[in-house]
Every structure is written in structure tokens, then in C-alpha cells.
Amino acid sequence: QVQLVESGGGLVQPGDSLRLSCVASTNIFRSNAGGWYRQAPGKERELVAIITSGDNTNYADSVKGRFTISRDNTKTTVYLQMNSLKPEDTAVYYCNTAYWGTVYWGKGTLVTVSS
């Protein structure tokens, strides 16, 4: 069983930055991809960014150039650096990974971008 715990969300103004963290109960990110998803009110959950075990990254078009996904050397934490935040980035952000065919999700952290 893998547990994922997100943190770092909050209320910010447009143009501000936030860094989200996803801490895993094991060093699962050593050999498994980690992803950040988000779900805005009334919308489907969508992929924001993903980082593979080989450190390849991929981003949703809406966040390219503003968000950066990374992980620490212990391979237990994945980060999402979010810059130039916009009101449309408001959502609950979830961390995700998969291991031996099982998909794991955190409980999410709320990001609200509002003036």
C-alpha cells in the first residue's frame, strides 16, 4: 500500500507562485512515474504534469512554461512549482502514481487563485 500526501495549496493572487509537494510513504518514485492532476469545480479531473522514472516530463498545454514538475533525490517526493498563476488554475490538485497495476491517489490540496 502506498500513501500519497499533498501539501502546499492555498489562496493566492493572480501572478503569484506556489509549490506543491507530494510525499509518498515509500521511495516509489525511484522507478515509477509521478503525476499531478487537478479538478476544478464542475469539471473533469485533468492531467497537469507528469515525470517519469527517467526524469522525462510532460505538461498540459495550459501550464507549459509556467509549471515545473520535479522530484527529490530520495525519490519519495514530487513537486509542482507553479508560477504566474491564473484564476483558471483554481482547482484541487492531486498527486498520482501507479505500482504493479494499482493506481494511487492522494487526497488533494486546494489551490485558489483570486484577486
Side-chain angles (χ1 to χ4, degrees):
Q1 187 77 10
V2 177
Q3 294 181 336
L4 303 174
V5 179
E6 304 96 335
S7 63
L11 172 62
V12 297
Q13 294 186 340
D16 285 352
S17 298
L18 278 177
R19 189 175 82 155
L20 306 183
S21 299
C22 170
V23 179
S25 55
T26 72
N27 60 350
I28 190 169
F29 300 124
R30 177 184 298 276
S31 55
N32 296 274
W36 283 98
Y37 289 71
R38 67 186 180 187
Q39 187 166 17
K43 294 189 176 181
E44 298 285 323
R45 191 172 296 189
E46 63 175 357
L47 175 66
V48 175
I50 190 167
I51 184 166
T52 70
S53 57
D55 286 334
N56 293 311
T57 58
N58 196 21
Y59 298 91
D61 287 343
S62 58
V63 307
K64 281 181 182 177
R66 299 189 298 122
F67 290 10
T68 303
I69 190 170
S70 62
R71 57 181 182 169
D72 72 347
N73 291 333
T74 67
K75 306 297 189 286
T76 62
T77 305
V78 172
Y79 302 100
L80 186 67
Q81 178 66 44
M82 305 187 296
N83 299 327
S84 302
L85 282 161
K86 304 175 180 180
E88 50 264 43
D89 295 319
T90 295
V92 178
Y93 284 72
Y94 298 91
C95 181
N96 158 282
T97 190
Y99 182 66
W100 283 101
T102 300
V103 178
Y104 296 95
W105 294 93
K107 293 183 178 180
T109 185
L110 176 62
V111 173
T112 303
V113 185
S114 175
S115 56

